Protein backbone atom coordinates (compact mmCIF):
# COMPACT_ATOMS: atom_id res chain seq x y z
CA UNK A 1 0.00 0.00 0.00
CA UNK A 2 2.85 2.40 0.72
CA UNK A 3 3.70 2.80 -2.96
CA UNK A 4 0.09 3.74 -3.68
CA UNK A 5 0.29 6.45 -1.01
CA UNK A 6 3.02 8.18 -3.05
CA UNK A 7 0.23 9.26 -5.41
CA UNK A 8 -0.88 11.90 -2.90
CA UNK A 9 2.30 13.84 -3.69
CA UNK A 10 2.29 12.96 -7.38
CA UNK A 11 -1.16 14.45 -7.99
CA UNK A 12 0.01 17.73 -6.47
CA UNK A 13 3.18 17.71 -8.59
CA UNK A 14 1.37 16.92 -11.85
CA UNK A 15 -1.73 19.06 -11.15
CA UNK A 16 -3.84 17.17 -13.73
CA UNK A 17 -6.76 18.88 -15.47
CA UNK A 18 -9.95 16.98 -14.65
CA UNK A 19 -12.80 17.69 -17.06
CA UNK A 20 -16.28 17.27 -15.54
CA UNK A 21 -19.58 16.64 -17.24
CA UNK A 22 -21.48 16.52 -14.01
CA UNK A 23 -24.64 17.43 -12.15
CA UNK A 24 -25.74 20.89 -11.08
CA UNK A 25 -26.38 20.00 -7.43
CA UNK A 26 -22.81 19.09 -6.46
CA UNK A 27 -20.74 20.77 -9.17
CA UNK A 28 -19.10 23.34 -6.84
CA UNK A 29 -18.20 20.76 -4.20
CA UNK A 30 -16.73 18.49 -6.89
CA UNK A 31 -14.61 21.39 -8.13
CA UNK A 32 -13.44 22.18 -4.60
CA UNK A 33 -12.63 18.55 -3.78
CA UNK A 34 -10.58 18.32 -6.98
CA UNK A 35 -8.69 21.47 -6.02
CA UNK A 36 -8.18 20.30 -2.43
CA UNK A 37 -6.45 17.10 -3.50
CA UNK A 38 -4.12 18.99 -5.86
CA UNK A 39 -5.75 18.65 -9.27
CA UNK A 40 -7.47 21.31 -11.39
CA UNK A 41 -11.20 21.07 -12.18
CA UNK A 42 -12.80 22.14 -15.44
CA UNK A 43 -16.55 22.01 -16.03
CA UNK A 44 -18.31 22.14 -19.38
CA UNK A 45 -21.82 21.89 -20.83
CA UNK A 46 -20.81 22.90 -24.36
CA UNK A 47 -21.11 20.75 -27.46
CA UNK A 48 -18.96 23.17 -29.43
CA UNK A 49 -15.77 22.70 -27.40
CA UNK A 50 -15.87 18.95 -26.73
CA UNK A 51 -13.05 17.91 -29.03
CA UNK A 52 -10.71 20.74 -28.04
CA UNK A 53 -11.37 20.51 -24.32
CA UNK A 54 -11.17 16.73 -24.02
CA UNK A 55 -7.91 16.78 -25.99
CA UNK A 56 -6.20 18.99 -23.38
CA UNK A 57 -7.72 17.32 -20.32
CA UNK A 58 -6.00 14.68 -18.19
CA UNK A 59 -9.16 12.70 -17.36
CA UNK A 60 -12.91 12.96 -17.89
CA UNK A 61 -15.64 12.56 -15.28
CA UNK A 62 -19.22 11.82 -16.37
CA UNK A 63 -21.91 12.10 -13.68
CA UNK A 64 -25.60 11.73 -14.59
CA UNK A 65 -26.98 13.11 -11.31
CA UNK A 66 -29.25 15.80 -12.72
CA UNK A 67 -30.68 14.39 -15.93
CA UNK A 68 -31.03 17.16 -18.51
CA UNK A 69 -32.48 16.06 -21.85
CA UNK A 70 -30.64 18.83 -23.71
CA UNK A 71 -27.18 17.57 -22.80
CA UNK A 72 -27.51 13.78 -22.58
CA UNK A 73 -26.00 13.39 -26.04
CA UNK A 74 -23.18 15.67 -24.88
CA UNK A 75 -22.24 13.18 -22.18
CA UNK A 76 -22.07 10.38 -24.75
CA UNK A 77 -20.02 12.55 -27.11
CA UNK A 78 -17.62 13.50 -24.32
CA UNK A 79 -17.11 9.85 -23.39
CA UNK A 80 -16.50 8.79 -26.97
CA UNK A 81 -14.09 11.68 -27.47
CA UNK A 82 -12.21 10.65 -24.32
CA UNK A 83 -11.87 7.18 -25.81
CA UNK A 84 -10.64 8.68 -29.09
CA UNK A 85 -7.85 10.57 -27.33
CA UNK A 86 -7.10 7.75 -24.85
CA UNK A 87 -8.09 9.86 -21.87
CA UNK A 88 -9.14 7.96 -18.72
CA UNK A 89 -12.86 8.30 -18.16
CA UNK A 90 -14.99 7.55 -15.09
CA UNK A 91 -18.77 7.16 -14.79
CA UNK A 92 -20.96 7.96 -11.79
CA UNK A 93 -24.40 6.46 -12.60
CA UNK A 94 -26.31 8.42 -9.95
CA UNK A 95 -29.75 6.92 -9.27
CA UNK A 96 -29.47 4.58 -12.25
CA UNK A 97 -32.26 2.41 -10.85
CA UNK A 98 -34.60 5.28 -9.95
CA UNK A 99 -36.23 5.77 -13.37
CA UNK A 100 -36.46 4.03 -16.72
CA UNK A 101 -34.85 7.06 -18.38
CA UNK A 102 -31.78 6.85 -16.14
CA UNK A 103 -31.30 3.13 -16.65
CA UNK A 104 -31.74 3.42 -20.44
CA UNK A 105 -29.32 6.33 -20.65
CA UNK A 106 -26.73 4.51 -18.54
CA UNK A 107 -27.04 1.50 -20.84
CA UNK A 108 -26.43 3.80 -23.80
CA UNK A 109 -23.29 5.16 -22.16
CA UNK A 110 -22.03 1.68 -21.34
CA UNK A 111 -22.67 0.50 -24.88
CA UNK A 112 -20.96 3.43 -26.59
CA UNK A 113 -18.17 4.44 -24.18
CA UNK A 114 -15.35 2.36 -22.69
CA UNK A 115 -15.06 3.42 -19.05
CA UNK A 116 -11.95 2.87 -16.97
CA UNK A 117 -13.83 3.19 -13.66
CA UNK A 118 -17.48 3.10 -12.62
CA UNK A 119 -18.19 4.41 -9.13
CA UNK A 120 -21.53 4.32 -7.37
CA UNK A 121 -23.14 3.38 -4.10
CA UNK A 122 -23.83 -0.28 -3.52
CA UNK A 123 -27.46 0.02 -4.68
CA UNK A 124 -26.39 1.52 -8.01
CA UNK A 125 -23.72 -1.14 -8.52
CA UNK A 126 -26.21 -3.89 -7.64
CA UNK A 127 -28.56 -2.54 -10.29
CA UNK A 128 -25.81 -2.51 -12.91
CA UNK A 129 -25.27 -6.15 -12.05
CA UNK A 130 -28.91 -6.93 -12.80
CA UNK A 131 -30.03 -7.19 -9.18
CA UNK A 132 -33.32 -5.75 -7.89
CA UNK A 133 -33.03 -2.80 -5.51
CA UNK A 134 -36.78 -2.59 -4.83
CA UNK A 135 -37.36 0.87 -6.25
CA UNK A 136 -35.35 2.62 -3.55
CA UNK A 137 -34.20 6.22 -3.87
CA UNK A 138 -30.88 7.44 -5.15
CA UNK A 139 -29.17 7.15 -1.75
CA UNK A 140 -27.45 3.93 -0.83
CA UNK A 141 -29.37 1.47 1.34
CA UNK A 142 -26.37 -0.36 2.68
CA UNK A 143 -27.15 -3.04 5.26
CA UNK A 144 -23.48 -3.79 5.86
CA UNK A 145 -23.58 -7.26 4.29
CA UNK A 146 -20.57 -8.38 2.25
CA UNK A 147 -21.22 -7.43 -1.37
CA UNK A 148 -17.78 -8.42 -2.63
CA UNK A 149 -19.21 -10.97 -5.06
CA UNK A 150 -21.53 -8.33 -6.56
CA UNK A 151 -18.74 -5.84 -7.17
CA UNK A 152 -16.47 -8.51 -8.63
CA UNK A 153 -19.27 -9.71 -10.90
CA UNK A 154 -20.06 -6.22 -12.19
CA UNK A 155 -16.36 -5.47 -12.76
CA UNK A 156 -16.07 -8.62 -14.83
CA UNK A 157 -19.30 -7.93 -16.72
CA UNK A 158 -18.39 -4.33 -17.59
CA UNK A 159 -14.66 -4.98 -18.01
CA UNK A 160 -13.53 -2.08 -15.84
CA UNK A 161 -12.66 -1.21 -12.26
CA UNK A 162 -15.81 -0.87 -10.14
CA UNK A 163 -16.05 1.09 -6.90
CA UNK A 164 -19.03 0.58 -4.58
CA UNK A 165 -19.31 3.04 -1.70
CA UNK A 166 -20.91 1.86 1.53
CA UNK A 167 -20.16 1.10 5.17
CA UNK A 168 -17.18 -0.71 3.70
CA UNK A 169 -16.02 0.64 0.35
CA UNK A 170 -15.35 -2.11 -2.18
CA UNK A 171 -13.10 -1.88 -5.22
CA UNK A 172 -12.67 -4.61 -7.82
CA UNK A 173 -11.18 -6.13 -10.24
CA UNK A 174 -8.82 -7.21 -7.41
CA UNK A 175 -11.00 -6.64 -4.37
CA UNK A 176 -9.93 -3.93 -1.96
CA UNK A 177 -12.06 -3.41 1.14
CA UNK A 178 -11.67 0.06 2.62
CA UNK A 179 -12.94 0.23 6.19
CA UNK A 180 -12.38 3.93 6.82
CA UNK A 181 -15.16 6.50 6.84
CA UNK A 182 -17.83 8.19 8.91
CA UNK A 183 -21.60 7.86 9.07
CA UNK A 184 -21.79 11.65 8.63
CA UNK A 185 -20.65 11.39 5.01
CA UNK A 186 -24.15 10.28 3.99
CA UNK A 187 -25.64 13.49 5.44
CA UNK A 188 -23.74 15.69 3.01
CA UNK A 189 -25.04 15.86 -0.54
CA UNK A 190 -22.39 14.93 -3.05
CA UNK A 191 -19.75 13.03 -1.10
CA UNK A 192 -20.15 10.22 -3.62
CA UNK A 193 -19.85 12.67 -6.51
CA UNK A 194 -16.77 14.15 -4.87
CA UNK A 195 -15.28 10.67 -4.52
CA UNK A 196 -15.75 10.20 -8.26
CA UNK A 197 -13.90 13.48 -8.87
CA UNK A 198 -11.11 12.38 -6.54
CA UNK A 199 -10.70 9.09 -8.39
CA UNK A 200 -10.63 11.07 -11.63
CA UNK A 201 -7.91 13.25 -10.14
CA UNK A 202 -5.67 10.26 -9.44
CA UNK A 203 -6.30 8.45 -12.74
CA UNK A 204 -3.72 10.40 -14.79
CA UNK A 205 -1.12 9.98 -12.02
CA UNK A 206 -1.29 6.25 -11.35
CA UNK A 207 0.50 3.40 -13.10
CA UNK A 208 -2.70 1.38 -13.03
CA UNK A 209 -6.38 2.15 -12.78
CA UNK A 210 -7.12 0.32 -9.56
CA UNK A 211 -4.47 2.30 -7.64
CA UNK A 212 -6.26 5.50 -8.64
CA UNK A 213 -9.61 4.04 -7.57
CA UNK A 214 -8.20 3.02 -4.19
CA UNK A 215 -6.57 6.39 -3.58
CA UNK A 216 -9.60 8.46 -4.56
CA UNK A 217 -11.81 6.35 -2.32
CA UNK A 218 -9.35 6.43 0.57
CA UNK A 219 -8.96 10.19 0.31
CA UNK A 220 -12.66 10.73 0.93
CA UNK A 221 -13.05 7.99 3.54
CA UNK A 222 -10.04 8.96 5.65
CA UNK A 223 -10.76 12.70 5.42
CA UNK A 224 -14.34 12.01 6.49
CA UNK A 225 -13.20 9.84 9.38
CA UNK A 226 -10.71 12.38 10.72
CA UNK A 227 -13.23 15.21 10.33
CA UNK A 228 -15.59 13.33 12.67
CA UNK A 229 -13.08 12.88 15.50
CA UNK A 230 -14.75 15.41 17.78
CA UNK A 231 -18.30 14.63 16.57
CA UNK A 232 -18.93 18.11 15.10
CA UNK A 233 -22.28 19.36 13.84
CA UNK A 234 -22.84 18.74 10.16
CA UNK A 235 -21.91 22.21 8.89
CA UNK A 236 -18.62 22.18 10.76
CA UNK A 237 -18.08 18.59 9.65
CA UNK A 238 -18.31 19.56 5.98
CA UNK A 239 -15.71 22.30 6.47
CA UNK A 240 -13.42 19.89 8.29
CA UNK A 241 -13.89 17.35 5.49
CA UNK A 242 -12.47 19.81 2.96
CA UNK A 243 -9.73 20.86 5.39
CA UNK A 244 -8.61 17.26 5.75
CA UNK A 245 -8.71 16.63 2.01
CA UNK A 246 -6.42 19.62 1.57
CA UNK A 247 -4.05 18.51 4.37
CA UNK A 248 -3.99 14.81 3.43
CA UNK A 249 -0.47 13.46 3.11
CA UNK A 250 1.42 10.18 2.97
CA UNK A 251 1.94 10.04 6.73
CA UNK A 252 -1.78 10.42 7.42
CA UNK A 253 -2.60 7.72 4.89
CA UNK A 254 -0.08 5.35 6.47
CA UNK A 255 -1.50 6.05 9.95
CA UNK A 256 -5.20 5.75 9.21
CA UNK A 257 -5.72 3.51 6.18
CA UNK A 258 -7.54 0.27 6.97
CA UNK A 259 -7.54 -1.72 3.75
CA UNK A 260 -7.98 -5.44 3.18
CA UNK A 261 -6.98 -6.95 -0.15
CA UNK A 262 -9.11 -10.00 -0.91
CA UNK A 263 -9.87 -10.18 2.81
CA UNK A 264 -6.18 -10.35 3.82
CA UNK A 265 -4.90 -7.50 6.03
Amino acid sequence: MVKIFDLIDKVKDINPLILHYTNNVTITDCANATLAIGASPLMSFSYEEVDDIVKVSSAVVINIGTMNSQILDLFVLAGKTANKYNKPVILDPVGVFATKARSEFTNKLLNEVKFDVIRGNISEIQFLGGLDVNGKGVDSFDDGSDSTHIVESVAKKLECVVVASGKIDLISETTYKIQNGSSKLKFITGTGCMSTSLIGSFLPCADNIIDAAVMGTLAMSISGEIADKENPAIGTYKTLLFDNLFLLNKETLETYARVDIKGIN
Side-chain angles (χ1 to χ4, degrees):
M1 290 300 299
V2 174
K3 186 177 180 180
I4 294 179
F5 296 159
D6 289 336
L7 291 174
I8 195 67
D9 294 323
K10 191 172 181 181
V11 71
K12 293 176 172 61
D13 290 339
I14 293 175
N15 185 227
L17 181 64
I18 311 305
L19 176 58
H20 289 69
Y21 294 89
T22 190
N23 73 76
N24 294 325
V25 174
T26 65
I27 190 168
T28 301
D29 285 337
C30 288
N32 286 331
T34 304
L35 285 167
I37 208 67
S40 292
L42 181 62
M43 277 59 181
S44 178
F45 295 108
S46 167
Y47 283 92
E48 292 79 8
E49 67 177 5
V50 171
D51 197 83
D52 288 342
I53 205 169
V54 171
K55 189 187 300 184
V56 300
S57 69
S58 305
V60 178
V61 172
I62 296 177
N63 177 313
I64 71 166
T66 46
M67 292 274 283
N68 182 334
S69 299
Q70 295 181 339
I71 58 173
L72 295 184
D73 288 340
L74 173 62
F75 284 23
V76 177
L77 177 60
K80 293 170 76 170
T81 305
N83 288 166
K84 181 175 77 170
Y85 289 115
N86 295 314
K87 305 292 184 177
V89 56
I90 178 170
L91 173 65
D92 194 330
V94 179
V96 59
F97 53 81
T99 66
K100 182 179 179 182
R102 285 177 186 265
S103 62
E104 289 180 346
F105 178 61
T106 300
N107 283 335
K108 180 178 177 67
L109 283 168
L110 293 174
N111 286 329
E112 298 190 28
V113 178
K114 177 65 176 76
F115 290 97
D116 296 280
V117 181
I118 297 173
R119 193 222 67 84
N121 62 47
I122 190 59
S123 300
E124 291 156 353
I125 299 305
Q126 284 177 337
F127 185 84
L128 293 180
L131 299 175
D132 181 29
V133 292
N134 301 315
K136 294 172 179 174
V138 297
D139 293 328
S140 174
F141 288 77
D142 181 14
D143 62 5
S145 59
D146 189 350
S147 300
T148 301
H149 64 291
I150 295 171
V151 178
E152 291 177 345
S153 175
V154 176
K156 184 176 181 181
K157 173 184 174 181
L158 300 180
E159 299 180 329
C160 68
V161 171
V162 171
V163 180
S165 300
K167 292 179 180 178
I168 296 175
D169 299 318
L170 300 172
I171 303 167
S172 282
E173 299 163 342
T174 301
T175 300
Y176 287 75
K177 296 182 179 181
I178 296 176
Q179 305 197 43
N180 297 98
S182 164
S183 60
K184 283 194 175 75
L185 286 169
K186 66 182 179 182
F187 292 105
I188 297 175
T189 297
T191 52
C193 299
M194 286 184 270
S195 294
T196 301
S197 295
L198 293 171
I199 294 170
S201 298
F202 284 105
L203 275 173
C205 307
D207 292 333
N208 58 71
I209 296 168
I210 200 159
D211 284 359
V214 170
M215 275 299 300
T217 305
L218 264 177
M220 176 57 68
S221 297
I222 289 178
S223 297
E225 182 175 312
I226 297 172
D228 200 20
K229 269 189 167 183
E230 303 297 327
N231 191 28
I234 199 67
T236 302
Y237 176 77
K238 182 178 180 181
T239 299
L240 290 170
L241 174 64
F242 279 102
D243 287 348
N244 282 286
L245 278 172
F246 180 74
L247 296 170
L248 191 63
N249 56 36
K250 186 175 178 180
E251 291 71 28
T252 301
L253 289 163
E254 291 173 349
T255 299
Y256 284 92
R258 300 193 305 278
V259 182
D260 294 343
I261 305 174
K262 288 190 173 178
I264 300 174
N265 291 326

